[in-house]
Amino acid sequence: MDFDSKVPTPPFCFMQQINTIFLDWNRPLLAVITERLLSYAKGNFVDLSNLLVIVPTVQSGRRLREALALSSNGLFPPEITTPDGLLEHVLGNESVASETTIVAAWVSVLRSLDFRRFETLFPVVPEQTVAWQNNMARRFVQLRNELGEEGLDFQQVSQFALKSGYEPERWRELAKLETRYLDQIKKHELKDPKKIRREIARDYQLPEQIDRIILAATPDPQPLVLKALESAAKQTSMEVWIYGSEDAEFDSWGRPHPEYWGQRSLDFEAWDVRMQTMNSPRETAAFIVESTRDKLPESILLGLADSALNSVVENAFDRAQIPYYDPGGLSLKNETIGRLIELLCCFYNDPDIETIRSLLQHPDVQEWLNIAPVTNQILKQLDHLFENHLAPDLSALIHFGTRLNNADELTGALEKLNHVYHELKKTKHFARSLAETLQQIYGAKTIVTEVAEENGVPWKECAETIRNQIQLVAETEVLFPKLPKEFIQTVLQYNLDMGRVYPTRPQQAHDILGWLELLWNDAPHLILVGLNEHCVPESITGDSFLPEALREKLGLRTNAQRFARDAYLLEALCRRRSEENGRIDFIIPKTSHDQNPLKPSRLLFLGTEDQLLQRTQKIFQTVSESSASSQRNIAWKLRPPDNLKLPTSLPVSALKSYLQCPFRFFLRHILHMRPLDIEMRELSSSAFGTLFHDTVAKLKGDTFDSTTKSQDLIKKLRGIAKHLFKHRYGNNLSFALRLQYEALMERITAFSEHQCNDLVENGRVHILNTEEAFEISFEGMILKGRIDRIDERKDGLELIDYKTSNQPNSPENAHFTSLGNKNPPEHLPAEAIFEQNDKYYQWSDLQLPMYRLAKEISEKRSVSTAYFNLGQTIEKSGITRWETLNKELCNSAHNCAAAVIKKIKTGVFWPPNQDIYEPYDEFRSLFPDGIENSVDADTFENYKFK
């Protein structure tokens, strides 16, 4: 392919006013620049207002202002800006389109596009979803931004492609799209910022008071900015300050030459650089904490070349209670108001139980609804509504909430949320209705703006920033009324995610700086973390529109130029801290936070042949896995509350819970913790079983004999079940609930068939009682239970427990299991093990033996037990009697129950059972690193009840 053609760009006209000055890079940069600027002061006081100083980043500008202020008693400071800020300052006077409007204009173009006329760009017609349109629009915006660095657009690149033969048809179609986009912008009397920037750069005019421009230690200015500076250099004197040696190759604008810096050796050994490889980000963060603990912030320069490490390091600082400051700010999305907006967007799209619950937990919503004092009660009632009625949305919650006792606060809150929902829905402008909703919520809120802060951010600043973001979206919504509200929400959420607020810097805080911020910090100890490929050197790979070869031909910044810049920065950071001037630590993580392997930076291998072998061995040495690498750092370990009261009663089912796991028993029956799946859209197995139990409970007092017909029984029970289902879950059943309704009817059929068959085999039966509650005093504890059904046959009683599991089970297998050759589980009391027929078994449930004990005490006659299994089919259903439950086995069960109660009363809730099948562990999500790593074992091993 012919790359000889190149987009014509005017050559830089280097006039006499442009002077290149080299600064000593063996001295701290900030001190050198401050001294030189102060030498330009006029008169008896420091007046630098005639200077325009361009620095690489906003943070470096802040540090320069501070250094100048500290170095003089009085100061008229220079105008300090960044390369991008040089043009943005003038751009602010123009009526330009915001980024939000630009994206909307591109989406409008894509929505009206006939893709058959753009087959090269879109060989496969895409599915026109809002997500695709938004992502594609942002990709075109990004592409124009990259081209805009050189002052190019799609039209100019299309002309170049036509001459060079580089995908001319593709770029021609991009140029046609760009024309349509520009028509959209012009239609709304706005200006395209990229076009305006080119015009500003071409005819850049300096402010009147400026008589000298200084481009200070900025190794990577945008080409378009340099064109503006070239124009400015014709008007006044221009100086380029290069922090480096004259024998190191730079161009006239202070940019490192790729050919030179791509091959230059970096003498880390001479600079006494300490390189350490770490297994994981957590281990890296632990090293940083130990390196900064009890150290003055001005003594340490902490640089994170990989921004993915920021959250890990910040969490580690939080746990160690070390103050820190991230100049990059905090995302608006994570602030209180930002989270509320996110919830309101979700609420607008789907007022489901999860979103409603989150809204009721939001502190500002609680204050607005005046429910903060009873929040726990309201949330409990909300959970009750969901669990008992599977109310999936707001209207269903309100419907069932009116039937709940003592729920006035809840229903009032739900009604207010319902009003908000309809207010959001009724207007065609989502952003405007959202703003009105926020005004309603915060209108009555009392905020002392001088002191109110969240995460260190003044509340007023946060609210004002969000107001501006909503205003931008609202203006765009008016300009493009045909765009769907889903797009408006997407743009708003994107703006909240990308928008930043800046907290107040804590005293004695360690700055967490990015790669390009480090050169302007003079701290003697450099800790540079994340020297991995694609972070340093920064590189772009696999760009479908702008591959490296095309970038070079178009004059855009290439990977080679970025490599040269980063090689220069690395040397500049190291050489002035070498030997007695400071200390340098390079920390190189081997894996990312999601355990993907990371490559060390190529910059680390810029050295002589003699250095490379030792350096490579150091970088790739095997690192032993530390505790910080192998597990999460737990901020605190779970301890039980002090002085809990020993319960005076327990359900019989609690004995099974203790035998399963003493620790989980404590969570479930002492702390009364239980999980709630608010995404559930069908009946749980327990809810389904309860529904069946409540249906057959209506048979209390009935007598069945040989005249009983299964069809009559089926008809009766189905009528009862239909009424219960409708009462609990309403008329509009989901598909899943309709399936479960049919499954319930099948269970009723199976029950009726087997009940009648049992009558043929065992004769007449009278259902004496159903769902009978009982209490017995046992070892100083009241045990409570509820027997599903009590049958009277001849002179005895039969206790029947219904089981609606899909897989039938016998009472024996449900209550104990064989130990085989295994040792007894550590968490079980010795009394849980018994011998029968020369084999050892362990009790896992004590339900039927304790039921039998309770009835034998109260009735004084023989009692037998049975399961009535109701599986998915008739074949899997039937009555299974526990014929072998004799007096000896009952005594063993009673002894086991006594031992369990004794352990409960003495506070033994440790160790936990390690062999619980994970999917059946309802508390597994609380302990991702295992119970032992998350819990203070001593406090559960010998808990002291009040």
Side-chain angles (χ1 to χ4, degrees):
M1 185 175 292
D2 182 14
F3 285 98
D4 292 338
S5 299
K6 183 175 178 12
V7 172
T9 54
F12 291 131
C13 181
F14 297 110
M15 304 176 70
Q16 290 183 352
Q17 292 96 327
I18 301 180
N19 299 317
T20 301
I21 298 171
F22 285 89
L23 307 178
D24 184 3
W25 64 343
N26 293 309
R27 294 184 59 206
L29 169 63
L30 195 58
V32 172
I33 288 184
T34 302
E35 289 175 9
R36 190 167 189 89
L37 284 175
L38 291 175
S39 70
Y40 290 169
K42 296 179 181 180
N44 296 325
F45 55 91
V46 181
D47 183 3
L48 303 177
S49 59
N50 62 312
L51 303 180
L52 173 62
V53 182
I54 302 171
V55 295
T57 66
V58 173
Q59 176 72 358
S60 56
R62 182 185 69 82
R63 295 190 65 83
L64 179 57
R65 290 187 187 90
E66 290 177 350
L68 287 170
L70 291 172
S71 300
S72 59
N73 293 326
L75 172 70
F76 288 100
E79 182 76 23
I80 301 175
T81 187
T82 63
D84 197 51
L86 184 72
L87 301 181
E88 291 295 333
H89 176 72
V90 182
L91 197 63
N93 299 324
E94 300 285 345
S95 177
V96 299
S98 66
E99 181 180 342
T100 300
T101 302
I102 290 171
V103 173
W106 274 107
V107 169
S108 294
V109 170
L110 292 171
R111 286 172 62 84
S112 61
L113 207 60
D114 182 358
F115 290 97
R116 293 173 297 180
R117 301 178 61 183
F118 294 86
E119 291 182 345
T120 304
L121 194 56
F122 302 104
V124 178
V125 177
E127 183 181 354
Q128 280 273 42
T129 63
V130 170
W132 178 86
Q133 293 164 357
N134 182 61
N135 292 335
M136 197 74 245
R138 292 195 182 277
R139 182 64 185 96
F140 288 147
V141 172
Q142 179 189 6
L143 182 58
R144 292 189 82 241
N145 288 343
E146 293 177 48
L147 293 172
E149 292 179 3
E150 181 64 28
L152 301 174
D153 59 16
F154 293 176
Q155 302 287 343
Q156 292 171 292
V157 179
S158 177
Q159 296 172 17
F160 163 73
L162 183 62
K163 295 177 181 179
S164 66
Y166 189 90
E167 296 191 313
E169 182 60 25
R170 194 179 191 213
W171 282 101
R172 185 186 70 82
E173 292 180 1
L174 282 169
K176 288 173 62 179
L177 287 181
E178 185 180 53
T179 300
R180 297 189 181 193
Y181 151 74
L182 291 172
D183 288 343
Q184 286 281 340
I185 295 296
K186 184 178 180 181
K187 173 182 171 184
H188 297 293
E189 300 180 353
L190 295 172
K191 296 180 180 180
D192 174 54
K194 299 303 171 190
K195 185 177 180 180
I196 297 298
R197 285 169 65 93
R198 290 199 302 271
E199 295 173 358
I200 292 172
R202 184 178 62 243
D203 302 314
Y204 186 76
Q205 296 296 317
L206 278 172
E208 292 182 0
Q209 79 276 11
I210 300 299
D211 60 19
R212 187 189 303 266
I213 305 173
I214 300 169
L215 181 63
T218 304
D220 191 22
Q222 296 178 6
L224 185 63
V225 174
L226 297 183
K227 293 177 183 179
L229 292 178
E230 184 190 26
S231 298
K234 299 174 184 178
Q235 307 166 45
T236 188
S237 63
M238 175 86 194
E239 295 180 1
V240 178
W241 294 1
I242 300 175
Y243 185 55
S245 173
E246 293 190 40
D247 61 359
E249 296 193 21
F250 300 86
D251 69 10
S252 297
W253 295 105
R255 296 178 296 187
H257 279 302
E259 296 81 6
Y260 176 80
W261 285 94
Q263 302 297 324
R264 179 179 173 89
S265 293
L266 299 180
D267 199 352
F268 298 128
E269 288 74 17
W271 301 327
D272 194 25
V273 174
R274 299 170 174 85
M275 296 187 188
Q276 296 189 59
T277 302
M278 297 288 181
N279 284 310
S280 69
R282 287 194 296 273
E283 187 175 339
T284 301
F287 174 86
I288 292 173
V289 166
E290 291 306 314
S291 299
T292 55
R293 195 187 300 276
D294 301 325
K295 302 292 195 312
L296 293 175
E298 56 267 26
S299 68
I300 294 178
L301 169 56
L302 174 58
L304 302 185
D306 184 357
S307 60
L309 294 169
N310 280 47
S311 60
V312 182
V313 173
E314 290 170 7
N315 288 338
F317 275 146
D318 282 333
R319 289 191 298 271
Q321 297 183 336
I322 297 176
Y324 66 89
Y325 181 73
D326 184 354
L330 301 173
S331 172
L332 285 171
K333 186 177 180 179
N334 295 326
E335 299 303 298
T336 299
I337 310 179
R339 290 196 296 270
L340 178 55
I341 293 173
E342 184 84 9
L343 286 172
L344 289 173
C345 288
C346 295
F347 184 62
Y348 173 89
N349 292 316
D350 184 10
D352 60 9
I353 179 72
E354 181 178 6
T355 305
I356 292 168
R357 201 175 197 281
S358 298
L359 278 171
L360 291 177
Q361 288 176 307
H362 193 285
D364 294 339
V365 174
Q366 291 178 353
E367 185 172 345
W368 170 57
L369 295 174
N370 195 27
I371 63 173
V374 291
T375 297
N376 289 336
Q377 180 64 22
I378 282 182
L379 291 177
K380 287 178 181 178
Q381 291 174 337
L382 190 70
D383 295 344
H384 173 83
L385 287 182
F386 179 75
E387 284 189 313
N388 288 275
H389 304 288
L390 278 186
D393 54 30
L394 184 56
S395 60
L397 285 170
I398 293 175
H399 170 72
F400 289 112
T402 56
R403 291 158 41 179
L404 192 65
N405 293 330
N406 301 318
D408 291 343
E409 286 87 359
L410 174 62
T411 53
L414 293 177
E415 290 289 356
K416 278 193 174 184
L417 291 181
N418 189 47
H419 176 73
V420 166
Y421 175 73
H422 288 290
E423 287 295 309
L424 288 172
K425 282 288 186 180
K426 76 176 184 180
T427 59
K428 65 179 182 179
H429 294 130
F430 174 78
R432 183 183 301 169
S433 60
L434 176 65
E436 292 172 355
T437 298
L438 292 174
Q439 180 64 36
Q440 181 183 357
I441 292 174
Y442 288 101
K445 184 178 177 68
T446 302
I447 300 170
V448 183
T449 56
E450 292 78 7
V451 298
E453 290 191 353
E454 181 193 1
N455 298 327
V457 181
W459 195 94
K460 184 177 180 180
E461 176 189 338
C462 184
E464 184 65 21
T465 306
I466 285 182
R467 189 192 69 82
N468 292 336
Q469 292 289 354
I470 295 177
Q471 181 64 28
L472 282 175
V473 176
E475 292 171 357
T476 301
E477 194 172 17
V478 172
L479 291 173
F480 298 91
K482 293 184 179 180
L483 293 181
K485 291 185 180 180
E486 184 183 350
F487 168 75
I488 298 300
Q489 292 176 30
T490 300
V491 170
L492 177 60
Q493 290 171 316
Y494 177 86
N495 289 356
L496 291 176
D497 193 24
M498 301 305 294
R500 290 291 183 272
V501 287
Y502 300 92
T504 304
R505 190 176 188 275
Q507 292 185 349
Q508 296 298 306
H510 290 272
D511 287 336
I512 301 177
L513 301 178
W515 170 242
L516 298 178
E517 305 281 2
L518 301 177
L519 199 60
W520 289 72
N521 190 298
D522 297 336
H525 182 188
L526 169 64
I527 302 177
L528 184 52
V529 184
L531 281 174
N532 298 101
E533 275 299 293
H534 301 301
C535 298
V536 177
E538 180 189 1
S539 60
I540 297 176
T541 58
D543 191 316
S544 57
F545 288 106
L546 292 174
E548 187 73 0
L550 181 59
R551 285 177 178 276
E552 186 175 354
K553 288 294 182 181
L554 294 176
L556 301 176
R557 285 185 292 182
T558 63
N559 286 337
Q561 290 173 320
R562 291 186 179 89
F563 186 94
R565 176 201 66 189
D566 291 343
Y568 155 72
L569 288 174
L570 194 57
E571 178 166 350
L573 286 168
C574 292
R575 64 181 305 117
R576 73 175 179 80
R577 291 179 172 84
S578 60
E579 300 175 355
E580 72 279 357
N581 295 321
R583 172 175 173 172
I584 307 165
D585 285 298
F586 287 176
I587 310 302
I588 310 157
K590 295 176 67 176
T591 62
S592 63
H593 68 282
D594 53 2
Q595 301 302 311
N596 288 325
L598 298 175
K599 295 180 181 178
S601 170
R602 285 171 289 158
L603 296 175
L604 298 173
F605 301 98
L606 290 177
T608 64
E609 292 184 3
D610 295 339
Q611 295 171 328
L612 282 181
L613 178 59
Q614 180 181 2
R615 197 179 295 178
T616 303
Q617 289 174 337
K618 179 70 174 176
I619 293 172
F620 288 100
Q621 66 180 335
T622 302
V623 182
S624 59
E625 187 171 355
S626 70
S627 59
S629 175
S630 61
Q631 65 185 46
R632 291 178 177 84
N633 293 314
I634 307 296
W636 49 270
K637 288 194 172 185
L638 179 68
R639 294 173 56 90
D642 293 330
N643 296 324
L644 289 173
K645 289 185 178 180
L646 175 69
T648 58
S649 64
L650 286 173
V652 171
S653 59
L655 302 177
K656 176 183 178 180
S657 178
Y658 190 96
L659 292 172
Q660 185 183 49
C661 175
F663 174 74
R664 292 174 177 86
F665 165 90
F666 188 91
L667 300 182
R668 187 180 296 113
H669 295 284
I670 304 299
L671 294 181
H672 304 291
M673 295 173 61
R674 62 184 183 89
L676 174 64
D677 183 6
I678 57 177
E679 295 183 356
M680 184 172 60
R681 293 296 178 264
E682 62 181 21
L683 299 178
S684 65
S685 57
S686 61
F688 184 86
T690 299
L691 194 60
F692 177 83
H693 281 62
D694 291 347
T695 299
V696 295
K698 301 297 183 181
L699 298 177
K700 175 182 177 180
D702 287 1
T703 300
F704 299 143
D705 55 25
S706 59
T707 64
T708 303
K709 304 297 183 183
S710 62
Q711 292 303 316
D712 295 338
L713 189 55
I714 292 171
K715 182 178 180 180
K716 175 181 178 179
L717 293 177
R718 284 190 171 185
I720 295 171
K722 182 178 180 180
H723 173 76
L724 289 174
F725 219 103
K726 179 180 179 180
H727 179 75
R728 292 182 187 179
Y729 307 109
N731 293 319
N732 299 320
L733 300 180
S734 66
F735 178 72
L737 283 178
R738 289 200 301 271
L739 288 179
Q740 290 187 301
Y741 174 80
E742 295 301 327
L744 178 62
M745 297 306 165
E746 292 298 321
R747 294 294 203 285
I748 289 173
T749 299
F751 167 83
S752 302
E753 295 286 352
H754 283 285
Q755 182 62 72
C756 291
N757 292 338
D758 186 67
L759 294 174
V760 174
E761 296 180 12
N762 297 294
R764 177 182 179 277
V765 62
H766 174 65
I767 300 180
L768 195 63
N769 204 355
T770 59
E771 300 297 321
E772 179 178 284
F774 69 86
E775 294 182 3
I776 59 170
S777 178
F778 190 84
E779 297 294 327
M781 180 77 70
I782 301 298
L783 292 182
K784 297 182 178 181
R786 185 176 295 275
I787 302 172
D788 291 347
R789 172 173 151 184
I790 304 173
D791 285 358
E792 188 174 39
R793 287 182 181 272
K794 300 178 182 179
D795 295 331
L797 299 179
E798 185 173 53
L799 312 182
I800 294 181
D801 197 51
Y802 294 119
K803 298 296 179 184
T804 54
S805 171
N806 290 335
Q807 297 300 323
N809 200 4
S810 67
E812 293 94 329
N813 291 338
H815 282 73
F816 55 80
T817 57
S818 173
L819 275 178
N821 296 323
K822 297 183 298 183
N823 291 324
E826 187 179 355
H827 69 276
L828 288 179
E831 290 81 357
I833 310 302
F834 68 92
E835 183 181 4
Q836 183 175 267
N837 299 328
D838 298 327
K839 291 183 179 180
Y840 286 94
Y841 298 87
Q842 67 180 55
W843 285 105
S844 54
D845 192 358
L846 303 172
Q847 181 190 29
L848 291 185
M850 300 309 293
Y851 283 7
R852 177 170 164 172
L853 175 64
K855 292 309 293 181
E856 286 178 339
I857 293 174
S858 63
E859 296 292 337
K860 307 297 184 182
R861 54 175 167 168
S862 65
V863 178
S864 62
T865 58
Y867 274 178
F868 203 141
N869 288 303
L870 281 309
Q872 286 179 311
T873 63
I874 292 179
E875 291 74 23
K876 292 184 176 181
S877 304
I879 299 176
T880 305
R881 293 180 168 84
W882 194 351
E883 306 287 358
T884 60
L885 184 59
N886 53 30
K887 186 175 181 179
E888 181 182 359
L889 200 56
C890 282
N891 289 338
S892 174
H894 300 159
N895 291 336
C896 178
V900 167
I901 291 174
K902 181 179 180 181
K903 283 186 173 290
I904 293 171
K905 293 167 73 172
T906 55
V908 179
F909 304 106
W910 200 262
N913 184 2
Q914 303 292 345
D915 297 326
I916 292 180
Y917 183 46
E918 185 172 323
Y920 294 163
D921 183 5
E922 58 187 358
F923 298 109
R924 64 185 181 278
S925 60
L926 300 180
F927 309 104
D929 293 300
I931 293 174
E932 292 79 3
N933 298 320
S934 311
V935 169
D936 185 347
D938 292 341
T939 58
F940 287 96
E941 197 164 13
N942 188 24
Y943 182 77
K944 302 298 183 183
F945 284 105
K946 185 176 180 180

